[in-house]
Amino acid sequence: MQRLTVGITGEALFGVDLAPDELAEIGRALEELMILAARPFRLPRWVPTRRHLRLALALSRVDRLIARIAAAAGRGGSDGGAGELARRIAAGAGGDRRSIRDQIGSLLFASHETTASALSWTWRLLADHPEVERKLAAELAGVLGTRPPALADVARLTYFDAVLKESLRLYPPIWIGTRFCVERCTLGGYDVPRGTLVSFSHYVVQRDPRWFDRPDEFVPERWQDGLADRLPRYAYMPFGGGPRYCLGQAFAQLEMALIVATIAQRRRLSATGPIQPPTPSITLRPADGMPMRVGARAAG
């Protein structure tokens, strides 16, 4: 899922078509960065420990891809198509190579890692709940028949929308957030002075039994009776909220819908062992990947 979403991001946002070997290399580098980021660094980065050297190698691989995107952005005119975003970043940075790299790198990471994580958990939840998987397959067959999904089909995939909402509720890729307290207040009986950095967990809030019946169970049907409209503000916030609301929500939801629909039409994923516990890294990732068996979907 990570290699797939990196490829989609490269082409859709930056107009760069990555070859299979490039996708494999960047996928390994990003995976390494996520593993290294899960643990705090005890020594300054310039100390040549094995971990620091691994980090430097992974970053150099990612930087090569970003440099390729930036170079492509510097060529050609403004056509409003794929690659226009990178060209606007390059123009707005005024030739500052570090700023260009940082902005493209942030978009590259943010637009693929969270989606890959959400897709991985969704596939596993579907495999562990065959009745849900059958209902989703029936919806896909009814809406699409045998043709590939298109943009106009997404709004008609109402059960998939419930499946995705429930997957993001149980395993939100962004599992923790922080905010600065701009004025003194009281939260849960605690005095919070102005300027305090407050942390909160999407993962915990979205499993609160006050808002969700059977909070630890995968029940997509809960979203089919208008639950989203009845919930208190911020009881469900997989894409954050307020001024820091995720700008990529619509892109991510569309991407996930088309990916799941395309794959689930032809393939069925099944579990190969017990579900992996989540690792609270930058995103909520499966501890050791998500090993699954891919098979053909039986006709009918």
Side-chain angles (χ1 to χ4, degrees):
M1 292 297 103
Q2 187 181 64
R3 288 196 296 272
L4 177 60
T5 55
V6 167
I8 290 172
T9 296
E11 186 169 354
L13 295 189
F14 304 119
V16 175
D17 186 13
L18 299 172
D21 59 333
E22 290 180 303
L23 287 173
E25 180 182 7
I26 195 65
R28 288 191 296 268
L30 289 168
E31 183 76 14
E32 183 85 337
L33 289 176
M34 290 299 298
I35 292 171
L36 293 170
R39 304 187 303 274
F41 286 84
R42 303 298 183 187
L43 295 171
R45 298 285 179 87
W46 54 264
V47 178
T49 65
R50 182 177 180 181
R51 185 181 176 204
H52 291 173
L53 293 173
R54 285 170 57 195
L55 175 68
L57 179 60
L59 284 172
S60 69
R61 290 171 175 166
V62 174
D63 277 344
R64 283 199 295 272
L65 173 61
I66 294 173
R68 181 182 164 190
I69 292 172
R75 298 190 297 267
S78 176
D79 58 10
E84 174 65 12
L85 178 59
R87 284 190 288 273
R88 287 179 178 269
I89 289 174
D96 184 340
R97 295 179 62 182
R98 183 181 181 89
S99 177
I100 294 171
R101 185 198 69 178
D102 290 350
Q103 292 187 55
I104 292 177
S106 296
L107 283 169
L108 177 68
F109 181 84
S111 59
H112 97 273
E113 168 61 27
T114 51
T115 306
S117 177
L119 285 166
S120 297
W121 290 114
T122 300
W123 288 122
R124 181 57 199 244
L125 288 167
L126 287 171
D128 288 346
H129 297 82
E131 72 287 353
V132 174
E133 198 270 346
R134 284 192 293 269
K135 289 179 69 172
L136 177 60
E139 178 177 74
L140 293 175
V143 172
L144 304 175
T146 58
R147 64 178 175 79
L151 176 61
D153 297 315
V154 174
R156 301 169 60 197
L157 299 175
T158 56
Y159 189 66
F160 170 76
D161 182 67
V163 168
L164 181 60
K165 279 189 172 70
E166 185 71 344
S167 175
L168 291 171
R169 182 186 72 82
L170 288 172
Y171 296 103
I174 302 301
W175 63 279
I176 193 168
T178 57
R179 295 291 187 273
F180 278 104
C181 183
V182 296
E183 59 182 59
R184 187 170 188 162
C185 64
T186 300
L187 291 176
Y190 291 91
D191 180 55
V192 183
R194 178 181 178 181
T196 301
L197 181 65
V198 179
S199 296
F200 57 94
S201 174
H202 309 64
Y203 181 91
V204 172
V205 171
Q206 293 178 180
R207 291 174 180 247
D208 192 323
R210 290 177 297 175
W211 321 127
F212 302 99
D213 182 41
R214 295 182 289 165
D216 295 322
E217 297 182 28
F218 181 61
V219 186
E221 288 74 15
R222 75 171 81 238
W223 298 99
Q224 294 186 300
D225 65 350
L227 173 62
D229 295 327
R230 300 194 305 273
L231 287 173
R233 192 180 186 189
Y234 304 130
Y236 178 76
M237 49 178 177
F239 293 95
R244 298 291 184 177
Y245 192 80
C246 177
L247 295 176
Q249 177 188 2
F251 180 87
Q253 290 178 311
L254 174 62
E255 181 182 6
M256 285 188 279
L258 293 175
I259 287 174
V260 171
T262 300
I263 295 175
Q265 271 188 313
R266 301 165 177 81
R267 299 288 183 261
R268 186 174 184 276
L269 278 69
S270 56
T272 60
I275 192 167
Q276 298 289 312
T279 295
S281 181
I282 296 175
T283 59
L284 196 69
R285 317 178 88 239
D288 295 304
M290 189 68 77
M292 301 191 74
R293 184 176 295 109
V294 182
R297 179 171 296 282

Short mmCIF file of all heavy atoms in Angstrom, two decimals, residues 187-226:
data_model
loop_
_atom_site.label_atom_id
_atom_site.label_comp_id
_atom_site.label_asym_id
_atom_site.label_seq_id
_atom_site.Cartn_x
_atom_site.Cartn_y
_atom_site.Cartn_z
N LEU A 187 -9.69 21.91 32.16
CA LEU A 187 -10.03 20.74 31.36
C LEU A 187 -10.07 19.52 32.26
O LEU A 187 -9.06 19.15 32.89
CB LEU A 187 -8.99 20.51 30.24
CG LEU A 187 -8.94 21.51 29.10
CD1 LEU A 187 -7.78 21.19 28.16
CD2 LEU A 187 -10.26 21.52 28.33
N GLY A 188 -11.25 18.89 32.36
CA GLY A 188 -11.37 17.69 33.19
C GLY A 188 -10.97 17.91 34.63
O GLY A 188 -10.44 17.01 35.29
N GLY A 189 -11.21 19.11 35.13
CA GLY A 189 -10.86 19.41 36.51
C GLY A 189 -9.44 19.88 36.71
O GLY A 189 -9.04 20.20 37.83
N TYR A 190 -8.66 19.96 35.65
CA TYR A 190 -7.27 20.41 35.74
C TYR A 190 -7.14 21.84 35.24
O TYR A 190 -7.69 22.20 34.21
CB TYR A 190 -6.36 19.51 34.90
CG TYR A 190 -6.20 18.11 35.45
CD1 TYR A 190 -7.06 17.10 35.05
CD2 TYR A 190 -5.19 17.81 36.37
CE1 TYR A 190 -6.92 15.81 35.56
CE2 TYR A 190 -5.03 16.53 36.87
CZ TYR A 190 -5.91 15.53 36.47
OH TYR A 190 -5.77 14.26 36.97
N ASP A 191 -6.39 22.62 36.01
CA ASP A 191 -6.11 23.99 35.60
C ASP A 191 -5.03 23.97 34.52
O ASP A 191 -3.96 23.37 34.70
CB ASP A 191 -5.62 24.81 36.80
CG ASP A 191 -5.31 26.25 36.43
OD1 ASP A 191 -6.20 26.92 35.88
OD2 ASP A 191 -4.16 26.67 36.67
N VAL A 192 -5.31 24.61 33.37
CA VAL A 192 -4.37 24.63 32.25
C VAL A 192 -3.95 26.08 32.01
O VAL A 192 -4.72 26.87 31.47
CB VAL A 192 -5.01 24.04 30.97
CG1 VAL A 192 -3.97 24.00 29.84
CG2 VAL A 192 -5.55 22.64 31.24
N PRO A 193 -2.72 26.44 32.40
CA PRO A 193 -2.27 27.83 32.20
C PRO A 193 -2.12 28.16 30.72
O PRO A 193 -1.92 27.29 29.87
CB PRO A 193 -0.91 27.85 32.91
CG PRO A 193 -0.91 26.67 33.82
CD PRO A 193 -1.75 25.64 33.13
N ARG A 194 -2.16 29.42 30.43
CA ARG A 194 -1.94 29.90 29.07
C ARG A 194 -0.54 29.49 28.60
O ARG A 194 0.43 29.56 29.36
CB ARG A 194 -2.09 31.40 29.02
CG ARG A 194 -1.83 32.01 27.66
CD ARG A 194 -1.97 33.53 27.70
NE ARG A 194 -1.69 34.13 26.41
CZ ARG A 194 -1.72 35.44 26.16
NH1 ARG A 194 -2.04 36.27 27.15
NH2 ARG A 194 -1.46 35.91 24.97
N GLY A 195 -0.44 29.06 27.36
CA GLY A 195 0.85 28.65 26.80
C GLY A 195 1.18 27.18 27.00
O GLY A 195 2.21 26.71 26.50
N THR A 196 0.33 26.45 27.73
CA THR A 196 0.58 25.02 27.95
C THR A 196 0.39 24.24 26.65
O THR A 196 -0.56 24.49 25.90
CB THR A 196 -0.37 24.47 29.02
OG1 THR A 196 -0.18 25.19 30.23
CG2 THR A 196 -0.14 22.99 29.26
N LEU A 197 1.27 23.30 26.40
CA LEU A 197 1.10 22.40 25.26
C LEU A 197 0.27 21.21 25.71
O LEU A 197 0.65 20.46 26.61
CB LEU A 197 2.47 21.92 24.75
CG LEU A 197 2.43 20.99 23.52
CD1 LEU A 197 1.88 21.73 22.31
CD2 LEU A 197 3.82 20.44 23.23
N VAL A 198 -0.90 21.05 25.09
CA VAL A 198 -1.84 20.00 25.47
C VAL A 198 -1.85 18.92 24.39
O VAL A 198 -1.99 19.23 23.21
CB VAL A 198 -3.27 20.58 25.65
CG1 VAL A 198 -4.25 19.48 26.03
CG2 VAL A 198 -3.26 21.67 26.71
N SER A 199 -1.69 17.67 24.81
CA SER A 199 -1.77 16.54 23.88
C SER A 199 -3.12 15.85 24.02
O SER A 199 -3.69 15.77 25.12
CB SER A 199 -0.65 15.53 24.17
OG SER A 199 0.62 16.11 23.95
N PHE A 200 -3.62 15.33 22.92
CA PHE A 200 -4.87 14.58 22.92
C PHE A 200 -4.76 13.45 21.92
O PHE A 200 -4.00 13.52 20.95
CB PHE A 200 -6.06 15.48 22.57
CG PHE A 200 -5.92 16.18 21.24
CD1 PHE A 200 -6.46 15.61 20.10
CD2 PHE A 200 -5.25 17.38 21.13
CE1 PHE A 200 -6.33 16.24 18.86
CE2 PHE A 200 -5.10 18.00 19.91
CZ PHE A 200 -5.64 17.44 18.77
N SER A 201 -5.50 12.39 22.15
CA SER A 201 -5.39 11.20 21.30
C SER A 201 -6.68 10.94 20.55
O SER A 201 -7.72 10.67 21.15
CB SER A 201 -5.04 9.97 22.14
OG SER A 201 -5.07 8.81 21.33
N HIS A 202 -6.61 11.00 19.22
CA HIS A 202 -7.75 10.63 18.38
C HIS A 202 -8.14 9.18 18.65
O HIS A 202 -9.33 8.84 18.68
CB HIS A 202 -7.39 10.77 16.89
CG HIS A 202 -6.80 12.08 16.50
ND1 HIS A 202 -5.59 12.53 16.97
CD2 HIS A 202 -7.25 13.04 15.66
CE1 HIS A 202 -5.31 13.71 16.45
NE2 HIS A 202 -6.30 14.04 15.65
N TYR A 203 -7.16 8.33 18.82
CA TYR A 203 -7.40 6.90 19.04
C TYR A 203 -8.28 6.68 20.28
O TYR A 203 -9.21 5.87 20.27
CB TYR A 203 -6.06 6.18 19.20
CG TYR A 203 -6.14 4.69 19.41
CD1 TYR A 203 -6.12 3.81 18.33
CD2 TYR A 203 -6.21 4.14 20.69
CE1 TYR A 203 -6.19 2.45 18.52
CE2 TYR A 203 -6.27 2.79 20.90
CZ TYR A 203 -6.26 1.93 19.81
OH TYR A 203 -6.32 0.57 20.00
N VAL A 204 -7.98 7.40 21.37
CA VAL A 204 -8.73 7.24 22.61
C VAL A 204 -10.13 7.84 22.48
O VAL A 204 -11.13 7.22 22.83
CB VAL A 204 -7.96 7.87 23.79
CG1 VAL A 204 -8.82 7.87 25.05
CG2 VAL A 204 -6.65 7.13 24.02
N VAL A 205 -10.19 9.07 21.97
CA VAL A 205 -11.47 9.76 21.87
C VAL A 205 -12.45 8.97 21.00
O VAL A 205 -13.64 8.87 21.33
CB VAL A 205 -11.26 11.18 21.30
CG1 VAL A 205 -12.60 11.84 20.97
CG2 VAL A 205 -10.48 12.04 22.28
N GLN A 206 -11.97 8.40 19.91
CA GLN A 206 -12.85 7.71 18.96
C GLN A 206 -13.26 6.31 19.43
O GLN A 206 -14.01 5.63 18.73
CB GLN A 206 -12.19 7.66 17.58
CG GLN A 206 -12.06 9.04 16.98
CD GLN A 206 -11.36 9.07 15.63
OE1 GLN A 206 -11.20 10.14 15.05
NE2 GLN A 206 -10.94 7.94 15.10
N ARG A 207 -12.78 5.90 20.59
CA ARG A 207 -13.23 4.64 21.20
C ARG A 207 -13.94 4.91 22.54
O ARG A 207 -14.06 4.02 23.37
CB ARG A 207 -12.03 3.71 21.42
CG ARG A 207 -11.43 3.17 20.12
CD ARG A 207 -10.17 2.37 20.38
NE ARG A 207 -9.58 1.85 19.16
CZ ARG A 207 -9.50 0.55 18.84
NH1 ARG A 207 -10.01 -0.35 19.66
NH2 ARG A 207 -8.94 0.17 17.71
N ASP A 208 -14.40 6.12 22.71
CA ASP A 208 -15.08 6.51 23.95
C ASP A 208 -16.50 5.94 23.95
O ASP A 208 -17.30 6.24 23.05
CB ASP A 208 -15.12 8.03 24.05
CG ASP A 208 -15.54 8.52 25.42
OD1 ASP A 208 -16.41 7.89 26.05
OD2 ASP A 208 -14.99 9.55 25.87
N PRO A 209 -16.86 5.10 24.96
CA PRO A 209 -18.20 4.50 24.99
C PRO A 209 -19.32 5.51 25.17
O PRO A 209 -20.50 5.16 24.95
CB PRO A 209 -18.12 3.53 26.18
CG PRO A 209 -17.00 4.05 27.03
CD PRO A 209 -16.01 4.66 26.08
N ARG A 210 -19.00 6.74 25.55
CA ARG A 210 -20.06 7.75 25.64
C ARG A 210 -20.62 8.08 24.27
O ARG A 210 -21.79 8.47 24.15
CB ARG A 210 -19.51 9.03 26.29
CG ARG A 210 -19.20 8.91 27.77
CD ARG A 210 -18.59 10.20 28.28
NE ARG A 210 -17.31 10.50 27.64
CZ ARG A 210 -16.63 11.63 27.85
NH1 ARG A 210 -17.12 12.56 28.65
NH2 ARG A 210 -15.47 11.83 27.25
N TRP A 211 -19.80 7.93 23.24
CA TRP A 211 -20.23 8.33 21.89
C TRP A 211 -20.46 7.13 20.96
O TRP A 211 -21.19 7.26 19.99
CB TRP A 211 -19.19 9.26 21.26
CG TRP A 211 -18.56 10.24 22.19
CD1 TRP A 211 -17.23 10.45 22.40
CD2 TRP A 211 -19.23 11.17 23.05
NE1 TRP A 211 -17.02 11.42 23.33
CE2 TRP A 211 -18.24 11.91 23.74
CE3 TRP A 211 -20.57 11.46 23.30
CZ2 TRP A 211 -18.55 12.89 24.67
CZ3 TRP A 211 -20.88 12.44 24.23
CH2 TRP A 211 -19.88 13.15 24.89
N PHE A 212 -19.82 6.01 21.30
CA PHE A 212 -19.88 4.86 20.38
C PHE A 212 -20.26 3.59 21.13
O PHE A 212 -19.57 3.17 22.06
CB PHE A 212 -18.52 4.66 19.69
CG PHE A 212 -18.06 5.86 18.92
CD1 PHE A 212 -17.13 6.74 19.46
CD2 PHE A 212 -18.57 6.13 17.65
CE1 PHE A 212 -16.70 7.85 18.76
CE2 PHE A 212 -18.15 7.24 16.93
CZ PHE A 212 -17.22 8.11 17.49
N ASP A 213 -21.37 2.99 20.73
CA ASP A 213 -21.77 1.70 21.26
C ASP A 213 -20.78 0.64 20.78
O ASP A 213 -20.32 0.68 19.63
CB ASP A 213 -23.19 1.37 20.77
CG ASP A 213 -23.70 0.07 21.33
OD1 ASP A 213 -23.47 -0.19 22.53
OD2 ASP A 213 -24.31 -0.70 20.57
N ARG A 214 -20.43 -0.29 21.67
CA ARG A 214 -19.43 -1.33 21.35
C ARG A 214 -18.19 -0.66 20.72
O ARG A 214 -17.83 -0.92 19.57
CB ARG A 214 -20.00 -2.38 20.41
CG ARG A 214 -21.14 -3.21 21.04
CD ARG A 214 -21.65 -4.27 20.09
NE ARG A 214 -22.39 -3.69 18.98
CZ ARG A 214 -22.71 -4.35 17.87
NH1 ARG A 214 -22.32 -5.60 17.69
NH2 ARG A 214 -23.41 -3.75 16.92
N PRO A 215 -17.55 0.20 21.45
CA PRO A 215 -16.53 1.08 20.87
C PRO A 215 -15.31 0.38 20.27
O PRO A 215 -14.66 0.94 19.38
CB PRO A 215 -16.11 1.97 22.05
CG PRO A 215 -16.46 1.16 23.27
CD PRO A 215 -17.69 0.41 22.91
N ASP A 216 -14.98 -0.83 20.73
CA ASP A 216 -13.80 -1.52 20.21
C ASP A 216 -14.13 -2.50 19.09
O ASP A 216 -13.24 -3.21 18.62
CB ASP A 216 -13.09 -2.27 21.34
CG ASP A 216 -12.53 -1.32 22.40
OD1 ASP A 216 -12.05 -0.24 22.02
OD2 ASP A 216 -12.60 -1.66 23.60
N GLU A 217 -15.39 -2.53 18.66
CA GLU A 217 -15.79 -3.45 17.61
C GLU A 217 -15.91 -2.73 16.26
O GLU A 217 -16.22 -1.54 16.20
CB GLU A 217 -17.13 -4.11 17.96
CG GLU A 217 -17.07 -4.98 19.21
CD GLU A 217 -18.40 -5.66 19.48
OE1 GLU A 217 -19.16 -5.90 18.51
OE2 GLU A 217 -18.70 -5.92 20.67
N PHE A 218 -15.68 -3.50 15.19
CA PHE A 218 -15.76 -2.98 13.82
C PHE A 218 -17.20 -3.15 13.33
O PHE A 218 -17.63 -4.24 12.96
CB PHE A 218 -14.79 -3.76 12.93
CG PHE A 218 -14.77 -3.32 11.49
CD1 PHE A 218 -14.41 -2.03 11.14
CD2 PHE A 218 -15.08 -4.21 10.47
CE1 PHE A 218 -14.35 -1.63 9.82
CE2 PHE A 218 -15.03 -3.83 9.15
CZ PHE A 218 -14.68 -2.54 8.81
N VAL A 219 -17.97 -2.06 13.37
CA VAL A 219 -19.39 -2.09 13.02
C VAL A 219 -19.68 -0.95 12.04
O VAL A 219 -20.14 0.13 12.45
CB VAL A 219 -20.29 -1.97 14.27
CG1 VAL A 219 -21.76 -2.17 13.89
CG2 VAL A 219 -19.87 -2.94 15.36
N PRO A 220 -19.43 -1.13 10.75
CA PRO A 220 -19.68 -0.06 9.79
C PRO A 220 -21.11 0.43 9.78
O PRO A 220 -21.38 1.61 9.48
CB PRO A 220 -19.29 -0.69 8.44
CG PRO A 220 -18.36 -1.80 8.80
CD PRO A 220 -18.84 -2.32 10.11
N GLU A 221 -22.04 -0.47 10.11
CA GLU A 221 -23.46 -0.11 10.05
C GLU A 221 -23.82 1.04 10.98
O GLU A 221 -24.85 1.71 10.78
CB GLU A 221 -24.32 -1.34 10.39
CG GLU A 221 -24.36 -2.40 9.32
CD GLU A 221 -23.07 -3.21 9.21
OE1 GLU A 221 -22.23 -3.14 10.16
OE2 GLU A 221 -22.87 -3.91 8.20
N ARG A 222 -22.99 1.28 11.99
CA ARG A 222 -23.30 2.37 12.93
C ARG A 222 -23.37 3.73 12.22
O ARG A 222 -24.00 4.66 12.71
CB ARG A 222 -22.27 2.39 14.07
CG ARG A 222 -20.93 2.96 13.68
CD ARG A 222 -20.01 3.16 14.91
NE ARG A 222 -19.36 1.93 15.33
CZ ARG A 222 -19.49 1.39 16.53
NH1 ARG A 222 -20.26 1.98 17.42
NH2 ARG A 222 -18.86 0.27 16.85
N TRP A 223 -22.69 3.85 11.06
CA TRP A 223 -22.64 5.12 10.35
C TRP A 223 -23.78 5.29 9.35
O TRP A 223 -23.87 6.34 8.71
CB TRP A 223 -21.31 5.24 9.60
CG TRP A 223 -20.14 5.23 10.52
CD1 TRP A 223 -19.32 4.17 10.81
CD2 TRP A 223 -19.65 6.33 11.30
NE1 TRP A 223 -18.36 4.55 11.72
CE2 TRP A 223 -18.54 5.87 12.03
CE3 TRP A 223 -20.05 7.66 11.43
CZ2 TRP A 223 -17.82 6.70 12.90
CZ3 TRP A 223 -19.34 8.48 12.29
CH2 TRP A 223 -18.24 8.01 13.01
N GLN A 224 -24.66 4.31 9.25
CA GLN A 224 -25.70 4.36 8.23
C GLN A 224 -27.00 4.98 8.70
O GLN A 224 -27.97 5.01 7.95
CB GLN A 224 -25.95 2.96 7.67
CG GLN A 224 -24.74 2.40 6.91
CD GLN A 224 -25.03 1.08 6.24
OE1 GLN A 224 -25.38 0.09 6.87
NE2 GLN A 224 -24.91 1.07 4.91
N ASP A 225 -27.02 5.44 9.94
CA ASP A 225 -28.27 6.05 10.44
C ASP A 225 -28.05 7.49 10.89
O ASP A 225 -28.74 7.98 11.79
CB ASP A 225 -28.85 5.21 11.59
CG ASP A 225 -27.94 5.20 12.82
OD1 ASP A 225 -26.80 5.69 12.70
OD2 ASP A 225 -28.38 4.73 13.89
N GLY A 226 -27.09 8.16 10.29
CA GLY A 226 -26.87 9.57 10.60
C GLY A 226 -26.03 9.83 11.85
O GLY A 226 -26.09 10.93 12.41
#
